[in-house]
Amino acid sequence: MIDFIIMVAPIEPFYAFNSFNPFEWNGLKFYPKFKKGILKGFESEYKDLRVFLHYDKIQLSNSLHKFYKGNNYSDFTHLELTNAIQEICQMFEIDAEYWEIKKMEFGFNIFTLKPAKEYIALFLEYKEKEFEKMKHKQNDYGRKCFLSEYALKVYDKSLQCKAMDSVKISDKTLRVEFCYNQKRKLPKHIKTLADLMDKDKFKELFKDLNEAFTKVIYNDEVDFTNSTNEERILFYASLNSDFIKVEEHINKTEVKAIRQKIKQLKERFFKKEFKKWFLKALSDKYIELYCS
């Protein structure tokens, strides 16, 4: 699934920038967009894609999945992705290799044994950064972990669809995403829409997603065999985010060693049964959608 995306391609310099009047181009009606009184470009919409014309470039954004299928909660195969890209290229008369990807979200749904909402609290931290709650109004529907150039998301797609779109889908639908917030974080072989059409290059996206979630700490069942009282105290203290914050404030010289000890304890004590199931479910779904 390629959901939210921002992509840009060069175009011939636009005569319409000599005027603030709306105009038609490629069958679409464009309207001027201003920021602090300055004309920034002209905006339109094509099948849920936001189309923005600058003087010498065009930018498309929003969900490729929703553009092609009318929703972003169903499965989205590689063939469907390729067809969506070909439609865009034909519509705007710009070949796929000229569409440069700026931002992108990659992921897909997996189907859980129990309602998906029962799993979202199992995602604890990634690279020593805690997962935060994803909310819509007062509804807690998932977890996210944001870093400077990318993010991980996992959420109950049925709760999101119900809260945001009033759409009902299976409550066992768990969405998993790797979000590229900076183009330099994209895999080195993924730069343009043409690269997404190449299955050999496309698999680099799953490699990023799988490697990231392999490093996640999961709140699985625990086994304290051969543990000491001190280790158990430290383990449970670490599950409270305020513990490390306090140590960083009053015990700065020891924080690095404490963090390393906590990491070792979590590796020892968490059973990893959910982690094994989850990573296999990701792999199986990727093969089903993108390798057939």
Side-chain angles (χ1 to χ4, degrees):
M1 177 275 297
I2 303 297
D3 201 7
F4 180 78
I5 191 170
I6 296 178
M7 48 192 173
V8 176
I11 58 173
E12 290 294 323
F14 229 77
Y15 75 90
F17 272 76
N18 296 322
S19 170
F20 293 162
N21 296 322
F23 61 90
E24 285 195 10
W25 181 71
N26 274 28
L28 302 177
K29 189 78 170 182
F30 286 84
Y31 297 89
K33 297 294 290 185
F34 299 89
K35 185 175 183 180
K36 295 182 179 179
I38 300 174
L39 179 66
K40 292 300 181 180
F42 290 83
E43 186 178 51
S44 187
E45 182 178 307
Y46 175 58
K47 293 176 63 175
D48 287 314
L49 288 178
R50 178 178 182 262
V51 185
F52 198 91
L53 289 177
H54 298 270
Y55 176 65
D56 58 357
K57 62 183 178 181
I58 180 173
Q59 176 177 294
L60 301 185
S61 58
N62 286 340
S63 171
L64 281 187
H65 189 163
K66 194 170 184 179
F67 158 76
Y68 188 72
K69 302 195 74 170
N71 68 74
N72 71 344
Y73 53 78
S74 58
D75 284 342
F76 191 42
T77 67
H78 191 265
L79 177 59
E80 290 170 329
L81 170 63
T82 298
N83 290 341
I85 292 171
Q86 290 173 341
E87 181 178 340
I88 289 170
C89 294
Q90 183 176 2
M91 171 64 185
F92 296 100
E93 299 179 340
I94 300 173
D95 291 340
E97 59 264 32
Y98 297 112
W99 288 101
E100 181 185 8
I101 299 169
K102 298 292 188 180
K103 295 183 179 182
M104 186 177 72
E105 295 178 356
F106 167 72
F108 40 81
N109 299 329
I110 59 174
F111 293 95
T112 53
L113 301 176
K114 297 181 291 185
K117 65 182 180 181
E118 298 187 25
Y119 296 87
I120 57 176
L122 298 183
F123 296 81
L124 284 182
E125 63 182 63
Y126 171 68
K127 292 190 173 181
E128 299 182 348
K129 188 175 179 65
E130 289 187 350
F131 278 79
E132 304 170 6
K133 292 182 179 180
M134 296 175 66
K135 288 189 173 183
H136 178 70
K137 297 182 179 178
Q138 299 303 314
N139 297 307
D140 173 9
Y141 67 91
R143 295 293 182 271
K144 59 186 177 182
C145 186
F146 282 101
L147 288 87
S148 59
E149 296 183 323
Y150 64 102
L152 308 183
K153 293 182 182 180
V154 56
Y155 54 96
D156 183 337
K157 189 63 178 175
S158 68
L159 288 179
Q160 188 208 42
C161 287
K162 181 179 180 180
M164 297 184 183
D165 302 314
S166 298
V167 173
K168 185 177 181 179
I169 64 173
S170 170
D171 66 356
K172 296 180 180 179
T173 308
L174 187 69
R175 170 66 63 82
V176 184
E177 295 177 359
F178 190 106
C179 308
Y180 298 92
N181 299 325
Q182 297 289 337
K183 67 176 184 179
R184 64 185 179 184
K185 182 58 183 176
L186 285 162
K188 63 181 181 179
H189 297 301
I190 301 289
K191 303 300 179 186
T192 70
L193 290 187
D195 296 327
L196 294 180
M197 299 169 71
D198 185 325
K199 282 191 175 183
D200 287 335
K201 295 180 179 180
F202 191 88
K203 66 185 179 183
E204 295 298 316
L205 297 174
F206 179 70
K207 181 179 178 181
D208 276 354
L209 181 145
N210 187 64
E211 287 184 354
F213 279 97
T214 297
K215 296 175 182 177
V216 167
I217 300 296
Y218 298 86
N219 188 16
D220 215 330
E221 293 183 18
V222 293
D223 179 358
F224 289 124
T225 302
N226 298 323
S227 66
T228 66
N229 183 59
E230 180 183 1
E231 289 173 334
R232 293 191 297 274
I233 291 173
L234 180 58
F235 172 82
Y236 279 113
S238 72
L239 299 181
N240 186 330
S241 60
D242 289 337
F243 171 72
I244 286 294
K245 291 178 183 178
V246 170
E247 293 301 309
E248 288 175 336
H249 181 67
I250 66 175
N251 194 16
K252 293 181 179 180
T253 59
E254 299 295 325
V255 167
K256 186 175 181 180
I258 292 172
R259 285 184 179 276
Q260 185 61 32
K261 180 65 174 179
I262 289 171
K263 182 179 179 180
Q264 292 172 354
L265 293 179
K266 287 179 177 178
E267 286 295 321
R268 276 178 55 195
F269 297 153
F270 281 126
K271 285 187 175 181
K272 305 181 184 65
E273 292 303 316
F274 172 74
K275 178 178 180 178
K276 291 176 183 178
W277 175 87
F278 177 72
L279 293 177
K280 184 177 186 303
L282 288 182
S283 179
D284 290 346
K285 193 65 177 183
Y286 173 78
I287 292 170
E288 175 190 337
L289 292 178
Y290 305 112
C291 298
S292 58

